[in-house]
Amino acid sequence: MARVAKLVYYPVKGCAGTAVETADVTPAGLRFDRAWMVVSPEGEFRSQRKHPVMAAIRAEVLDDGARLRLAAPGVEDLLVETVTDGPRHPAATFTWQGKGVHQGDEAAEWFSTVLGLPSVFVGLAPEHERVTNGEIPGTAAFADAHAILLTSESSLDGLNERIASRGAEAVPMDRFRPNIVVSGWPEPHREDDVRSLTAGGLELGYAKVCVRCTVPMVDQETGEKAGPEPIRSLADYRREPEGGVSFGIKMAVTGPGQVSVGDEVIVHSWAGPSPSTSDAEPPFTATASRPAESV
């Protein structure tokens, strides 16, 4: 039986995640997921792709989002009173351009010190609107492109077997920065063929597979580059037709609700013919084609 094994949200885009036992999920994803973002003075988002140290920056959501405690190696913690409606500042991800709410000069200076270059800290604006693409459209906060990234334990196990065969060290799931991790699917990458599912009070629909960038080669504990794995081993068997390698799927929230670790994951539709067995244990079918995106 497939179940939710882990739930994680990432308060500040590109920074460390927070694991929870239960999450309220909005149309834009887990509550507080990528609700804040570090950007350049021009508004372009800061990322682990260029600044791996961001993995070691931790943001603790306090008082139902009214405050954030920011922590990073080598600097004093900063307590930020979040601003929900104030001066706007340009903000952009790969697929979206808009404006965020400036979170103040003190927070901007703190991030500028940690990253070693001028930065601005922004939060979601009340008027934030965004339509995400894929097989099922949706919306998102400051995530790269979609509300939910879902992976499975079996996929990581299969990948780590390949990594071990090279004599290299296994990688943890946090390298892939998922929101939902599923246990109980016997075959690796079975999530690729999920088209709709429910877990707890949550409903999700498939958008596309997740084509990986260089972030999985960053140690999420230390904020240091630790490649070439897992990208090297993924390249052996997970190359996408349009380029890049994939791990996990992007999903749209088709029915907001609450989900908890341990909830059963029920798949209501799969790619290809409907399986003759239960949704929890369908026969594996390969997806004919996988839309890909760089994230």
Side-chain angles (χ1 to χ4, degrees):
M1 179 182 293
R3 294 193 179 276
V4 175
K6 195 167 188 179
L7 294 167
V8 187
Y9 72 95
Y10 305 83
V12 179
K13 179 178 177 64
C15 297
T18 299
V20 292
E21 290 296 308
T22 298
D24 292 321
V25 183
T26 74
L30 274 67
R31 191 164 184 241
F32 298 128
D33 186 59
R34 279 87 170 190
W36 294 273
M37 180 166 64
V38 187
V39 300
S40 70
E42 296 74 32
E44 185 172 352
F45 74 99
R46 302 293 193 201
S47 165
Q48 288 185 34
R49 297 165 182 84
K50 294 182 179 180
H51 314 290
V53 69
M54 292 183 73
I57 300 175
R58 305 194 177 277
E60 181 183 2
V61 178
L62 303 171
D63 302 329
D64 200 33
R67 297 188 299 165
L68 288 176
R69 178 177 287 114
L70 301 173
V75 297
E76 291 188 5
D77 292 2
L78 178 67
L79 191 63
V80 178
E81 302 287 338
T82 59
V83 182
T84 57
D85 197 358
R88 304 299 195 262
H89 186 86
T93 67
F94 285 111
T95 58
W96 173 83
Q97 292 188 346
K99 293 185 177 181
V101 178
H102 199 299
Q103 298 298 299
D105 292 339
E106 189 176 17
E109 291 173 4
W110 189 90
F111 278 105
S112 298
T113 297
V114 173
L115 298 181
L117 74 172
S119 299
V120 178
F121 190 44
V122 299
L124 289 173
E127 69 275 13
H128 181 86
E129 289 187 8
R130 186 176 177 190
V131 177
T132 59
N133 60 10
E135 191 167 310
I136 295 178
T139 189
F142 289 140
D144 277 357
H146 296 87
I148 298 290
L149 173 58
L150 182 144
T151 62
S152 71
E153 290 182 343
S154 60
S155 297
L156 182 66
D157 290 343
L159 170 60
N160 277 330
E161 287 178 5
R162 292 171 180 267
I163 292 174
S165 71
R166 293 177 177 269
E169 292 187 7
V171 299
M173 186 65 85
D174 66 6
R175 292 285 191 94
F176 298 99
R177 297 174 61 81
N179 297 115
I180 299 175
V181 180
V182 176
S183 64
W185 284 331
E187 291 93 353
H189 308 292
R190 177 165 284 189
E191 58 268 30
D192 289 7
D193 290 319
V194 171
R195 290 300 175 265
S196 66
L197 66 77
T198 56
L202 174 65
E203 299 177 6
L204 299 176
Y206 173 88
K208 57 178 66 177
V209 295
C210 182
V211 176
R212 311 308 308 209
C213 60
T214 60
V215 169
M217 294 190 291
V218 176
D219 187 314
Q220 295 296 302
E221 292 295 324
T222 65
E224 297 176 351
K225 291 184 178 179
E229 298 296 356
I231 299 301
R232 179 178 63 176
S233 290
L234 283 172
D236 290 341
Y237 73 115
R238 296 289 295 176
R239 289 187 181 274
E240 291 299 318
E242 297 181 19
V245 300
S246 65
F247 187 97
I249 60 172
K250 299 293 189 80
M251 304 198 82
V253 178
T254 53
Q258 191 175 84
V259 62
S260 298
V261 171
D263 283 345
E264 183 179 0
V265 175
I266 302 172
V267 176
H268 297 280
S269 64
W270 298 84
S274 297
S276 57
T277 54
S278 69
D279 287 336
E281 296 293 341
F284 182 73
T285 56
T287 307
S289 63
R290 295 171 179 163
E293 84 180 358
S294 296
V295 297

